[in-house]
Amino acid sequence: MAAASLTVSSVSSPAPGLRDSYGRLIHDLRVSITDRCNYKCVYCRTGEMGAQYPELAIDEYLRLIKLFVSLGITKVRLTGGEPLLRRGIVDLVREIARLRTCGGATLDIALTTNGHLLDGLAGPLKAAGLNRVTVSMDAVDAAVFERITRVEGSFAAVLAGVRAARAAGLTPLKINCVLLRGFNDDQIEGFARFAREENVVVRFIEFMPLEEGRLWSPEIVVPLREIVERIGRVLPLVELPARDASETARRYTFSDGLGEIGIIAPVTQAFCGACSRVRLTSDGKIRTCLFSQIEHDLYGRMRAGESDDELRAYIISTVQSKEARHHIGEPGFLKPSRSMVHIGG
Ligand code: SF4
């Protein structure tokens, strides 16, 4: 289970870009702009907590994102809670896209959403400069879907959002499905067909211990091997080569070449060795790993009046302290200090 063992890089002149002490190039920033959500998914918001953390002003996120981009971040993903609940998100995307004209030419801007509000926003987000979108969708059966989200009418809204995003050209359009045994693992084969019929990339995610309550156990995880076997029985799969070492999903197409699925297997086939991600929480804290036990208060320093150069130096030293890997399922494993809805995907 453990990721490839990493050693602290001792190279005298480290290569350019934002790197951690293991030499991993950090080029992917995930920014949560709210921990509010309009869904109550049974495996995520298992408690009654609701939103817990303050949100920054849109222009405060922009200042922090600019600092990261100036240090070499080439991919910015907006997340939540549910980011489309934030008024000003279209303006934020437009301002981030402006960074392409000052040195961030290849800046890739993505969004992860539950899709409920996407139908009306896909066009404006694309026009503002968003490249692509990932929709979290845990069932293709409306009844199962609404049993999970605990929101009536949510299935139709999300399907409309997916189709609007595709029509707007927010592609490749990815669908993320968190699989839980006994909850929605009966959706695997249906999702394989959905990927082909809707021309979207469906990615199955092994359930991680990031929920509010105490639902997670190894038995509830549907491992990559089983997902491949189950789909292969109905639609033979062919594995595709990885496009990038830091890619989180193992990619597959079907034997007739139509459609693509991915499997993100952090529990049974961890990929920490090539991790390229850091996160910024909705209240402006840096999390160097999804499973971090400590957070770094970047926003607090900004509020205290630190200059951009001082804040950059803080980001660089914080990234140096990035954890080697997660320890899910190992003795002494500690759940992260926040649950997923309060961290951001
Ligand atoms: S668990 Fe941490 S180190 Fe591993 S891939 Fe996720 S964020 Fe990266």
Side-chain angles (χ1 to χ4, degrees):
M1 182 178 314
S5 60
L6 289 174
T7 53
V8 172
S9 77
S10 53
V11 285
S12 55
S13 56
L18 202 49
R19 287 181 186 273
D20 67 13
S21 65
Y22 302 99
R24 293 176 294 190
L25 182 63
I26 306 303
H27 54 74
D28 180 350
L29 174 68
R30 303 189 173 193
V31 184
S32 171
I33 58 175
T34 180
D35 69 340
R36 288 178 288 133
C37 189
N38 46 2
Y39 282 1
K40 285 193 68 177
C41 297
V42 288
Y43 63 85
C44 176
R45 301 189 54 204
T46 45
E48 298 304 323
M49 291 168 90
Q52 295 283 301
Y53 298 91
E55 298 164 2
L56 312 191
I58 291 289
D59 62 356
E60 292 176 320
Y61 289 118
L62 185 60
R63 180 176 170 197
L64 297 177
I65 291 168
K66 278 183 179 170
L67 294 172
F68 279 95
V69 171
S70 72
L71 290 168
I73 289 289
T74 57
K75 187 163 115 174
V76 174
R77 177 175 291 279
L78 299 177
T79 70
E82 174 45 44
L84 296 184
L85 288 172
R86 278 300 307 256
R87 256 197 290 277
I89 186 166
V90 174
D91 296 334
L92 177 59
V93 168
R94 190 175 300 109
E95 292 305 317
I96 299 171
R98 274 193 222 288
L99 300 177
R100 289 176 182 138
T101 57
C102 43
T106 60
L107 191 58
D108 174 21
I109 309 173
L111 172 90
T112 300
T113 169
N114 62 24
H116 196 81
L117 302 170
L118 191 53
D119 189 11
L121 284 167
L125 286 166
K126 177 68 181 177
L130 188 69
N131 294 104
R132 55 206 174 81
V133 70
T134 298
V135 177
S136 307
M137 188 179 176
D138 300 311
V140 283
D141 173 280
V144 177
F145 187 87
E146 292 177 6
R147 198 169 60 233
I148 291 175
T149 62
R150 297 187 275 189
V151 173
E152 223 174 298
S154 51
F155 185 75
V158 170
L159 200 54
V162 165
R163 290 173 177 163
R166 198 184 50 223
L170 290 168
T171 52
L173 179 44
K174 296 176 180 171
I175 304 288
N176 279 2
C177 168
V178 178
L179 279 178
L180 290 83
R181 194 177 303 289
F183 271 79
N184 63 340
D185 57 319
D186 60 349
Q187 302 292 299
I188 292 174
E189 295 78 2
F191 258 122
R193 281 187 286 276
F194 184 83
R196 294 156 64 88
E197 289 154 11
E198 296 286 335
N199 186 22
V200 294
V201 179
V202 170
R203 288 130 41 103
F204 298 101
I205 304 179
E206 291 179 346
F207 183 41
M208 291 179 275
L210 289 165
E211 78 288 11
E212 270 178 358
R214 299 215 162 280
L215 183 65
W216 192 87
S217 71
E219 296 71 36
I220 209 172
V221 174
V222 184
L224 174 143
R225 176 186 42 70
E226 181 181 335
I227 302 167
V228 171
E229 278 164 17
R230 286 176 63 166
I231 296 176
R233 279 188 228 128
V234 283
L235 291 160
L237 289 172
V238 179
E239 183 153 12
L240 295 167
R243 282 175 295 231
D244 174 317
S246 69
E247 202 163 33
T248 54
R250 299 265 297 266
R251 302 169 55 228
Y252 303 81
T253 186
F254 298 95
S255 55
D256 61 3
L258 177 64
E260 181 180 333
I261 64 144
I263 304 175
I264 300 173
V267 180
T268 63
Q269 312 213 7
F271 36 78
C272 302
C275 183
S276 61
R277 291 166 293 283
V278 288
R279 291 173 167 83
L280 194 63
T281 63
S282 62
D283 55 332
K285 305 252 175 37
I286 301 175
R287 291 182 66 87
T288 46
C289 171
L290 197 48
F291 292 89
S292 289
Q293 293 298 320
I294 53 171
E295 298 178 334
H296 310 268
D297 191 2
L298 182 63
Y299 178 62
R301 287 170 170 258
M302 185 171 99
R303 295 247 337 243
E306 286 200 5
S307 70
D308 282 358
D309 285 345
E310 288 166 322
L311 295 171
R312 278 194 199 95
Y314 182 66
I315 293 170
I316 291 168
S317 62
T318 299
V319 168
Q320 274 288 314
S321 71
K322 178 175 168 68
E323 298 84 343
R325 62 185 180 86
H326 69 64
H327 297 275
I328 301 173
E330 295 171 25
F333 167 73
L334 289 174
K335 284 183 73 168
S337 49
R338 297 183 190 211
S339 66
M340 187 59 139
V341 69
H342 305 297
I343 296 174

